[in-house]
Structures are given as C-alpha cells and as structure tokens.
Amino acid sequence: MCSTCGTHHPKWTGQCTGCGEWNTLVEEVVSSGGDQPVAPVGPGSRPVPIGEVDAIAGEPRPTGIAEFDRVLSGGLVPGSVTLVGGEPGIGKSTLLLQVAHSWSGPVLYVCAEESAQQVRHRAERLGSTSESLWLLPETNLGSALAAIEEVSPTLMIVDSVQTVADPSLPSAAGSVAQVRAVTQRLVAEAKRRDLPVVLVGHVTKEGDLAGPRVLEHLVDTVITFEGERHHALRLVRAVKHRFGSTNDLSVFEMTGDGLRGVADPSHLFLADRRVGVAGSVVTPTLEGRRPIVVEIQALTTPAPPGVPARRTSQGVDQARLALLLAVLNRHAGLPVHEHDVYVSTVGGVRLTEPGVDLAIALAIVSAIVDRPLPSGLAVFGEVGLGGEIRQASRPDRRLAEAERLGFDRILVPERTPSDDASSRLVRVEDIAAALAAADLIV
Ligand code: TYD
Ligand code: MG
C-alpha cells in the first residue's frame, strides 16, 4: 500500500502509480477475515424525515479559546472528529492543552507521545491544571476506549493518532492500516456517544498530513497549523470543515505561556517593516473572509552570465512568480533574465490568492530599479497574462483594512467598484500604468 495516498498494489514497485510518489510503498498484512467489523453506530441509526432531525444537538460548543473557535466556525460539534495537523513543534499539543483547560466539562487527553509528567509540566507552564482534565498516557486503543467509560468526558483529545494502535491488528503502529483503523474506531465512538474528538496528526516533510490522505476523508474537520517554527506567528486554517466555512483563519502568537490569539494580525505583520526600502510592497490580502495587510519583499541581484537566473520564493507559489516575471518581461520590457530574483512574504504567511499579484510584481520592479515605493502606498490586484490588472475579490474589505492601517494611497484595478470618490484610490489598467503610478519608471 502507498503510505501517501493509500493505493493498493499487488507487488512492490519503486513509484506509486496512484500518486506518482517514489519509495512510498509499504507492505501491509491483509488478514484473511477481511476488514475488522466496525461497531454499529448506535440504536438511533434509522431513517428520519429531515424536518425531525434535532438541529440543536448539532450546534457547535465553544472551546473557550475565541481565536480557535473562529476557524471552527463556533466550536466543536458533538459527535464530530477534528484532525489537527502541523509540523512537529509548531504548537499542536500546546493549543489542545489550552482547549482542554478552557473546555467546560470533563476532558480525556490521551497523551500517547509524552508521559503524563511531561504534559503536566507543560500544563503548569500554561497555568492550566484543571480538575476536570484527565490524562491517559497510553498507546493502546483499547485502553483509550475503556477510559471513555471511566471518565465520561465531554471532549476527547488523542495526541497523536499515529502513535495509538490497536494491538489486535497485524500491522505495525503508525502504519497506514493502523492509523486508518484507529481513526475509524474513534469516529464510530464519537458518533455513538455524541462526543467531540480531536486527533493530532503528524505531517510528512512535504507538508501533507502523514501517510494516508484517507484520514482526511474519515474525519469531519481538518485543521492545519502553518508558520515557521522559529517565528512566533502561527496561522491555523480549516482545509476541510463539514460544519462551517473553510474560509476563516485564526492567528496565534506563541508566547512563553502558550498560544495567544492575535486580534489584529495586520499590525503584527507590519511591525518590523522599514519604510523607504526598495523591494518592499504592502498589500491587503484576503484570507477567506478576513482581510490582512501583509508585506511582500523582493531582492534581486545580477545573474551570472551563462547560467539560468535563480528564482526563489517563500510564501509565494513558484509558478506564480515565474508567470509574473514573464508578464514583467513581455509587457513592461523588463530584462528579468538578467536578475536573480528572491521573493518572500513577511512572517511566514503563505499567500495563495491572486489579489497579491500586483504587489509581488511591484516588489520585483522596485528591487530591480532600486527605488522604494512612495510611503503610504498599498496595492492589490490580479495580474493577467496580457499585462492587465484584474479585479480582486472583496475590494471593500481590502480597502477598509488598508485605510485602517494608515495607507492613504491605494493602487487598485481599474474597474474596482467603490463609492469612494476620493483621491486615495489610484485606478490602474495595466502593469505599465501601475509602474507609472508607483513611481517606478526610470
Ligand atoms: P508543542 O505544542 O509541543 O508542539 P507539537 O505538539 O505541535 O509538536 O509545542 C512545542 C513548542 O512550543 C516548543 O518549541 C516550545 C514552545 N512553547 C512555547 O514557546 N511556549 C509555551 O508556553 C509552550 C507550552 C511551548
Ligand atoms: Mg505534540
């Protein structure tokens, strides 16, 4: 079985035909009895008319951490299973311990990776040794299920799902079959008891949730942690959410006493900014529904002759960068092949929406011509292949956020709808007009 995508193969091969990954096939022993029977979902599993379904029972329960509730669209839904993924050391256990502390009602925390003492030390550091928090240092699924009987929790946390195993299965702990079986069992248990369950999942070095993508199909909600480990900022997103939108983003700061929600991320992103530096451009981006003002930086150096110029990006898609360089070359006449180009977002944030295109393009040009943008200028807009500046979603929110942070001139796509007739908005039709408006033509 491929440990990345879960595709079955009758024999070993070097490359998985399912996902194209190399060296990901692992042997799984398939028991002759077929799949283990999954516990019945409970006595209530009969067809019901949709109007008679109890809507109140499915309401999310707030975790008590307001910033986390934002990404969960209100809280944890009873009977739901939430998978929290992220690199080691990013703060998954910290956040869940804080959730366990502020949750009202008994919580069962299965710490399969750490000893109870370690968790207690961390809890003391966070000031959260709550009476109703029960620790179970166990890797055996059976013991974890038995503990549910004993504690009758209203929230169960399993840290991490890869380290918990069902010894009655022939495959090794952490293998695809084990992780899937454990998850299936916990999902059934959650549904049967109307118990919200939170699973911690490791990620692979490529950033996918470890091993089986199949896990993502089994659970109701998938939450991922982003951010650089050496930077205090943590972005928490929902990549899948059956009970709400995947549009919301939570921003936390790792402090000496745990994760603290950041109410005003734009301020934080701009905190270290030096104005009047070439290659720096500020753009209001939209993370789902939330506008955030971020800084994009570019650095260019002359490329040595005879070798292809370097293009390195952090937080910006490499293909997008290549496209913007091609547009600058073709429609602004910029000799981009003569420069090595480095582009980076500040604070480890990953920008994926096209509304930041114009900011990236202007940062590159500003770096090449070695001239800063006028102070107080922010920009947004998508750059098309024809060099045209296209509209970005929700310009009203972007403008409001940029203005709130004191940017008094904003380059926007030509046809941005706005009832604001003031001179703050500078409408630009194409990349050449944008360069002129940003004072970047030499
Ligand atoms: P942790 O929650 O253990 O990460 P994960 O479970 O995702 O692997 O986070 C560990 C990191 O967070 C570690 O480098 C120490 C740091 N940390 C703080 O900075 N402040 C704190 O209050 C705590 C508990 C941890
Ligand atoms: Mg941990």
Side-chain angles (χ1 to χ4, degrees):
M1 185 189 283
C2 171
S3 59
T4 299
C5 69
T7 305
H8 289 263
H9 298 263
K11 67 182 179 66
W12 189 86
T13 57
Q15 186 183 23
C16 173
T17 51
C19 61
E21 289 293 315
W22 290 92
N23 298 325
T24 54
L25 294 208
V26 289
E27 189 184 34
E28 292 287 342
V29 182
V30 182
S31 67
S32 53
D35 282 346
Q36 294 286 320
V38 177
V41 181
S45 304
R46 285 182 9 255
V48 243
I50 191 163
E52 289 173 22
V53 174
D54 187 359
I56 306 297
E59 290 285 305
R61 266 190 69 177
T63 61
I65 310 259
E67 192 64 20
F68 192 42
D69 289 340
R70 178 201 290 270
V71 74
L72 292 171
S73 309
L76 295 167
V77 174
S80 73
V81 178
T82 304
L83 180 64
V84 176
E87 284 175 33
I90 195 117
K92 302 179 294 295
S93 305
T94 305
L95 177 66
L96 293 177
L97 203 55
Q98 288 177 264
V99 167
H101 175 63
S102 55
W103 186 264
S104 54
V107 179
L108 176 62
Y109 190 111
V110 181
C111 43
E113 286 188 351
E114 291 158 306
S115 70
Q117 284 77 15
Q118 279 171 317
V119 177
R120 180 171 176 166
H121 278 142
R122 183 181 305 126
E124 277 168 356
R125 186 170 164 190
L126 300 173
S128 54
T129 43
S130 154
E131 290 270 292
S132 56
L133 171 55
W134 299 79
L135 292 184
L136 180 73
E138 255 302 341
T139 56
N140 185 323
L141 177 66
S143 316
L145 296 178
I148 303 182
E149 289 293 344
E150 194 182 328
V151 177
S152 303
T154 55
L155 171 66
M156 178 176 185
I157 297 169
V158 179
D159 188 358
S160 68
V161 67
Q162 275 96 354
T163 42
V164 173
D166 179 353
S168 68
L169 292 181
S171 17
S175 66
V176 182
Q178 272 287 3
V179 174
R180 190 166 50 183
V182 167
T183 308
Q184 263 166 352
R185 189 60 211 271
L186 289 169
V187 168
E189 211 63 29
K191 299 274 175 286
R192 191 161 72 82
R193 295 171 188 267
D194 244 356
L195 172 69
V197 174
V198 181
L199 309 175
V200 172
H202 291 295
V203 293
T204 60
K205 54 183 184 306
E206 286 82 28
D208 289 328
L209 280 165
R213 306 232 52 184
V214 280
L215 270 199
E216 298 191 9
H217 303 296
L218 294 177
V219 300
D220 300 300
T221 304
V222 180
I223 302 283
T224 60
F225 259 84
E226 276 171 32
E228 288 168 52
R229 243 171 75 193
H230 306 291
H231 200 286
L233 221 57
R234 301 285 181 271
L235 306 179
V236 180
R237 288 175 214 272
V239 290
K240 165 183 176 179
H241 196 12
R242 281 192 182 142
F243 308 107
S245 90
T246 51
N247 273 339
D248 278 305
L249 169 80
S250 297
V251 183
F252 290 97
E253 192 178 7
M254 182 60 96
T255 68
D257 45 6
L259 287 160
R260 195 172 307 145
V262 176
D264 187 356
S266 299
H267 256 294
L268 205 70
F269 280 123
L270 296 184
D272 298 331
R273 179 163 186 255
R274 279 169 58 206
V275 290
V277 175
S280 156
V281 177
V282 168
T283 183
T285 180
L286 216 61
E287 278 299 336
R289 286 181 291 185
R290 194 169 186 187
I292 299 181
V293 173
V294 295
E295 178 188 0
I296 293 177
Q297 292 185 318
L299 179 71
T300 60
T301 52
V307 286
R310 285 184 74 126
R311 274 87 182 83
T312 307
S313 66
Q314 229 174 58
V316 172
D317 181 41
Q318 195 85 37
R320 201 80 203 161
L321 174 60
L323 184 150
L324 291 170
L325 286 167
V327 170
L328 286 174
N329 181 247
R330 185 74 173 73
H331 298 286
L334 222 65
V336 289
H337 53 277
E338 292 171 9
H339 301 273
D340 286 345
V341 176
Y342 306 86
V343 171
S344 159
T345 58
V346 172
V349 59
R350 204 158 57 210
L351 299 178
T352 50
E353 60 110 12
V356 301
D357 283 358
L358 184 58
I360 301 171
L362 293 189
I364 295 168
V365 179
S366 162
I368 289 179
V369 302
D370 195 19
R371 189 189 295 187
L373 265 72
S375 68
L377 182 78
V379 312
F380 70 85
E382 178 178 349
V383 176
L385 288 182
E388 77 279 13
I389 309 300
R390 297 170 164 268
Q391 290 189 50
S393 59
R394 302 308 305 255
D396 49 332
R397 295 206 174 149
R398 297 177 200 254
L399 289 172
E401 183 72 356
E403 282 168 17
R404 184 177 73 82
L405 284 141
F407 292 91
D408 50 13
R409 262 183 91 210
I410 304 164
L411 296 198
V412 300
E414 176 86 59
R415 270 170 292 279
T416 299
S418 169
D419 38 17
D420 182 352
S422 74
S423 58
R424 273 182 306 203
L425 298 196
V426 184
R427 296 168 182 275
V428 289
E429 189 185 18
D430 55 24
I431 190 79
L435 292 181
D439 204 13
L440 288 178
I441 307 251
V442 270

